[in-house]
Amino acid sequence: MSTHRLRFKLNGADRDLEVPADRLLIDLLREDCGATGTKLGCGIGVCGACSVLVDGELVSACLVPAVFVDATAIVTVEGLARDGALTPLQDSFIREGGFQCGICTPGQLIAATALLGEHPRPTRDEVRSWMMGNICRCTGYYGIERAIDRAAGAR
Amino acid sequence: MTFEYHEPRELGPALDLLARHGQDAHLIAGGTATVLLLRQGLLRPGHVIGLRRIESLGGIARTSDGGLRIGAMATHRAVERSPMARAYSPALTDAFASVATIRIRNQATVGGNLAHADPAQDPPPMLAAFGATVTARSSRGERTIPVADLAVDHFTTSLAGDEIITEVVLPPIVEGTRAAYLKFLPKTADDYATVSVAATLRLASDGTVAAASIFLGAVGPTPIRARRVEDALRGRARGDIGEAAALVGEEIDPVDDARGSSEYKRRMARVWTERTLAQLLR
Ligand SMILES: Cc1cc2nc3c(=O)[nH]c(=O)nc-3n(C[C@H](O)[C@H](O)[C@H](O)COP(=O)(O)OP(=O)(O)OC[C@H]3O[C@@H](n4cnc5c(N)ncnc54)[C@H](O)[C@@H]3O)c2cc1C
């Protein structure tokens, strides 16, 4: 097995580490970087629990080889709040009850952050088609939708 | 899984690595299919060759004759969002946009899609209906393969082991051609198709069908060309599409699976072929 030196930014901080060729991004984040906010759900790219941003693009950390993130900038749920101040989206999730058990929340927040980055005032259809792949096992979808609407200034 | 990972910056060295390691080498583009197969132990290569740093494999651009070139490493989402791809045909961007979720579309590439050759994939039938070709390079040279001839069986292509898809080329669209991609998703919006229909159609000045190209996904071991339907449509007026669409049953060979019985898919193939034609003839 070959090993590879990766230099990347995680939530704004420089990281420099060596990983085996078969490392996945989810394990790089949780095991090697100790950033356990990102959760492993289905492990096959379906459920959205491990949603992260790589150079601003929303991807499933369980499907991305770690070697692909060399020289990129990654944002996980830990990177949303600045100096303890929640983003308007995080605040809206709290106000609107955008979660129940919370396991899918890091992925929901990251997916919705990417949505609002691309569509600051998304329509209902845009919210639904964008968030469609982020599954909430508690079926708290209305709260999640309201939270996104609120963060977008729609309520 | 234990392998050596290589990430060449040019196509030449990638082709050399493939030629040198033969069966023991496996390409990885976006990785959405390969990561799963590696993890399940269905692939056990000694060498994995990453294509992500090879710049010549990227890009989406109109060709000088009015067609479209999509680099093998362009992601699904790049095609979906490309104004040039949309200007070529919104049906093309629809087919790419109907793949899974944004997360998958951000990672999965066009070359990886075509080489993966799952018959339930969305872009291949649409690309085939447009008459697209892929360019395949090896250290032995270059050849052009129609997308319609690329998949030969479930997860099997006519590519040789040492070939890399470098691009997909779509020919210019004949003036007046209409195109549509319809995906039947009875369960969830991010699922694979139960049945999908890709079609292009051109009407003559008298309103009869002058040309039709129809491919179905998820109803056979590869995308299936509905030749009998195409033949039956030619020269017909817009009214009589139901009879032509019914002929699709003679072309397809769907299997029973979680997305429905073979019989159900057969019926749905007729319904969705008719709907696609109705949309094109509206
Ligand atoms: C959760 C999930 C849902 C999905 N849903 C859909 C769906 O609804 N519709 C749909 O159409 N598809 C769907 N797919 C399949 C998806 O389209 C493919 O996995 C993807 O297109 C493969 O592209 P990739 O770049 O990730 O390929 P990789 O995984 O990198 O490679 C796939 C195969 O192609 C080979 N390869 C890659 N690039 C080249 C090249 N340039 N030349 C020659 N060979 C090459 C690799 O060696 C490998 O065998 C889904 C996949 C997942 C994981």
Side-chain angles (χ1 to χ4, degrees), chain A residues 44-46 63, chain B residues 26-36 51 57 72 76 98-100 104 107-113 115-116 120-124 159 163-166 183 190-193:
Chain A
I44 54 170
V46 172
L63 275 189
Chain B
H26 199 86
L27 298 172
I28 188 164
T32 58
T34 303
V35 163
L36 296 178
L51 300 178
L57 296 180
H76 286 57
S98 57
V99 171
I104 297 294
Q107 189 182 343
T109 67
V110 176
N113 181 299
H116 186 50
Q121 284 177 307
D122 301 294
L159 289 171
E163 284 181 317
I164 293 180
I165 296 173
T166 58
K183 178 177 186 179
D190 62 346
D191 202 2
Y192 282 94

Side-chain angles (χ1 to χ4, degrees), chain B residues 23-265:
Chain B
Q23 291 287 323
D24 199 30
H26 199 86
L27 298 172
I28 188 164
T32 58
T34 303
V35 163
L36 296 178
L37 295 173
L38 284 170
R39 213 160 50 198
Q40 291 163 352
L42 292 170
L43 278 178
R44 298 170 184 277
H47 299 267
V48 173
I49 305 165
L51 300 178
R52 60 189 284 268
R53 298 222 193 237
I54 305 176
E55 271 178 31
S56 63
L57 296 180
I60 301 170
R62 297 306 293 258
T63 54
S64 53
D65 61 1
L68 187 73
R69 175 201 178 269
I70 306 173
M73 288 300 287
T75 62
H76 286 57
R77 190 132 164 84
V79 179
E80 169 191 350
R81 298 176 66 186
S82 160
M84 277 171 288
R86 179 158 288 271
Y88 179 86
S89 169
L92 178 67
T93 45
D94 282 353
F96 278 91
S98 57
V99 171
T101 56
I102 286 181
R103 286 175 282 111
I104 297 294
R105 299 200 296 280
N106 274 334
Q107 189 182 343
T109 67
V110 176
N113 181 299
L114 289 168
H116 186 50
D118 179 333
Q121 284 177 307
D122 301 294
M126 192 71 251
L127 290 168
F130 280 122
T133 58
V134 301
T135 308
R137 279 279 292 278
S138 71
S139 49
R140 298 169 290 123
E142 182 173 285
R143 66 184 178 120
T144 301
I145 310 166
V147 170
D149 299 337
L150 188 66
V152 294
D153 203 345
H154 287 101
F155 303 99
T156 311
T157 66
S158 54
L159 289 171
D162 63 348
E163 284 181 317
I164 293 180
I165 296 173
T166 58
E167 62 186 7
V168 181
V169 178
L170 291 96
I173 296 184
V174 179
E175 177 90 34
T177 301
R178 303 165 179 198
Y181 182 73
L182 266 62
K183 178 177 186 179
F184 177 40
L185 287 168
K187 293 211 247 174
T188 62
D190 62 346
D191 202 2
Y192 282 94
T194 291
V195 170
S196 71
V197 185
T200 69
L201 203 122
R202 187 163 48 81
L203 295 181
S205 50
D206 63 358
T208 59
V209 176
S213 176
I214 304 167
F215 284 79
L216 282 86
V219 288
T222 66
I224 302 287
R225 179 162 202 170
R227 278 191 197 280
R228 278 172 229 203
V229 182
E230 294 173 2
D231 290 344
L233 283 170
R234 224 163 279 129
R236 295 251 196 129
R238 28 182 102 207
D240 11 293
I241 47 174
E243 226 175 279
L247 296 172
V248 78
E250 295 168 32
E251 318 261 4
I252 59 178
D253 186 18
V255 294
D256 297 328
D257 64 16
R259 292 184 184 82
S261 66
S262 164
E263 186 47 39
Y264 175 66
K265 291 180 190 178

Side-chain angles (χ1 to χ4, degrees), chain A residues 4 11 15 17 23 27 40 53 59 96 101 103 106 109 118 122 139-141 144 154:
Chain A
H4 302 268
N11 299 322
R15 298 282 179 153
L17 30 109
R23 204 84 172 133
D27 300 317
L40 177 65
L53 303 179
V59 292
E96 297 291 345
C101 83
I103 192 88
L109 285 168
E118 202 166 305
T139 69
Y141 295 109
I144 292 167

